[in-house]
């Protein structure tokens, strides 16, 4: 199966070959027409190359170091460019409105809804990481690294443990309220811990994306270890 990334690479090769062939053909015609036209065309090409180099510099060379603290990983130093900010913004937006970042009180909401939301966040984070262009990073520390740890250290263990248990209860007692599930209280305690950790990852995405006052977008929820201060070095 050909992936979208592979298709984009093939398209770039085809377009590059077509442009190169057209440029060679144009140069031949211009050379036949006269040297001054050749110099003019050469100046246009050089200008386009310089513009492309400037864009490359803007996206990849202009870097900023940002320090982020998340559960189980202590403080990490990220080298951030525009690509990193874009991916981080996508991850932040996909996370910020989900139940996965909103506390679920003992007498409020449904565990099933929370698990469904976490599954959605897991799938979306995985898809963004898979389709986005790899970002720059020092010592392998990138926003993708942060996203992978959110999936493997927080979401996957919780979902692997509690989804089968809840589904078993729902299958055995299809008309029973969720509150009668014997494991409901324990699941909610574990969920609260995962939500707290997930919020810290979301705050990390916000810092890398350059979001101003991300706590406001999280609904004013206090995030342990974050006082809203600037994390830039």
């Amino acid at each position: 199966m050909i992936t979208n990334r592979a298709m984009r690479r093939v398209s770039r090769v085809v377009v590059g070959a077509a442009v190169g062939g057209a440029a060679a053909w144009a140069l031949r015609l211009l050379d036949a027409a006269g040297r001054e036209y050749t110099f003019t065309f050469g100046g246009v090409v050089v200008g386009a190359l310089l513009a492309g180099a400037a864009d490359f510099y803007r996206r990849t060379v202009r870097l900023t170091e940002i320090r982020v603290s998340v559960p189980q990983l202590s403080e990490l130093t990220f080298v951030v460019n525009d690509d990193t900010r874009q991916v981080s913004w996508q991850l932040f937006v996909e996370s910020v409105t989900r139940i996965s970042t909103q506390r679920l009180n003992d007498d409020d909401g449904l565990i099933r809804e929370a698990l469904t939301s976490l599954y959605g966040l897991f799938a979306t984070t995985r898809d963004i990481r898979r389709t986005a262009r790899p970002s720059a990073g020092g010592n392998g520390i990138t926003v993708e690294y942060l996203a992978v740890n959110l999936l493997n250290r927080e979401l996957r263990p919780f979902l692997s443990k509690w989804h089968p248990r809840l589904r078993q209860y729902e299958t055995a007692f299809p008309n029973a309220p969720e509150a009668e599930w014997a494991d409901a209280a324990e699941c909610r305690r574990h969920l609260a811990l995962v939500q707290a950790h997930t919020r810290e990852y979301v705050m990390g995405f916000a810092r890398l994306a350059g979001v101003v006052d991300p706590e406001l977008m999280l609904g004013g929820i206090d995030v342990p270890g974050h006082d809203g201060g600037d994390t830039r070095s």
Side-chain angles (χ1 to χ4, degrees):
M1 180 177 179
I2 300 178
T3 64
N4 291 335
R5 180 175 296 178
M7 288 296 295
R8 288 196 296 270
R9 288 177 178 173
V10 172
S11 298
R12 287 196 294 268
V13 171
V14 172
V15 171
V19 171
W25 179 76
L27 280 173
R28 181 177 180 182
L29 292 179
L30 289 170
D31 185 62
R35 180 174 298 180
E36 63 180 273
Y37 293 104
T38 303
F39 285 149
T40 300
F41 182 78
V44 171
V45 172
V46 171
L49 290 175
L50 289 176
D55 180 67
F56 178 81
Y57 176 84
R58 178 185 62 81
R59 289 187 291 104
T60 60
V61 179
R62 192 185 67 187
L63 304 176
T64 303
E65 283 194 355
I66 297 179
R67 294 192 299 272
V68 172
S69 295
V70 293
Q72 304 182 53
L73 296 178
S74 186
E75 185 175 79
L76 303 174
T77 299
F78 292 80
V79 179
V80 178
N81 62 6
D82 286 349
D83 289 338
T84 300
R85 295 184 185 94
Q86 182 178 0
V87 174
S88 300
W89 171 249
Q90 289 180 303
L91 291 168
F92 175 74
V93 170
E94 289 295 336
S95 305
V96 71
T97 58
R98 295 178 181 271
I99 295 175
S100 53
T101 61
Q102 307 298 321
R103 289 195 179 94
L104 191 67
N105 297 326
D106 292 342
D107 56 350
D108 184 32
L110 296 174
I111 298 175
R112 166 54 62 195
E113 292 180 354
L115 264 64
T116 300
S117 177
L118 289 172
Y119 261 115
L121 177 60
F122 187 100
T124 301
T125 301
R126 181 184 55 196
D127 290 343
I128 291 174
R129 181 178 58 84
R130 183 173 54 198
T131 58
R133 179 168 51 189
S135 59
N139 299 321
I141 306 300
T142 66
V143 62
E144 292 86 3
Y145 173 83
L146 192 63
V148 167
N149 277 279
L150 170 61
L151 298 184
N152 291 337
R153 292 177 179 265
E154 302 296 341
L155 302 186
R156 190 190 301 275
F158 176 82
L159 292 170
S160 297
K161 176 179 180 179
W162 290 109
H163 177 71
R165 294 188 184 186
L166 179 57
R167 183 171 55 188
Q168 183 179 13
Y169 169 76
E170 292 171 336
T171 301
F173 306 98
N175 298 319
E178 189 179 271
E180 294 183 2
W181 181 32
D183 293 332
E186 182 184 356
C187 181
R188 283 178 179 267
R189 286 193 293 270
H190 192 177
L191 173 62
L193 179 62
V194 170
Q195 288 174 320
H197 288 179
T198 299
R199 285 192 294 273
E200 294 197 50
Y201 278 90
V202 173
M203 289 294 295
F205 296 143
R207 301 300 187 205
L208 296 179
V211 178
V212 178
D213 295 329
E215 295 87 351
L216 296 178
M217 299 183 69
L218 279 166
I221 295 175
D222 293 331
V223 181
H226 293 274
D227 57 5
D230 189 3
T231 59
R232 296 177 185 270
S233 59

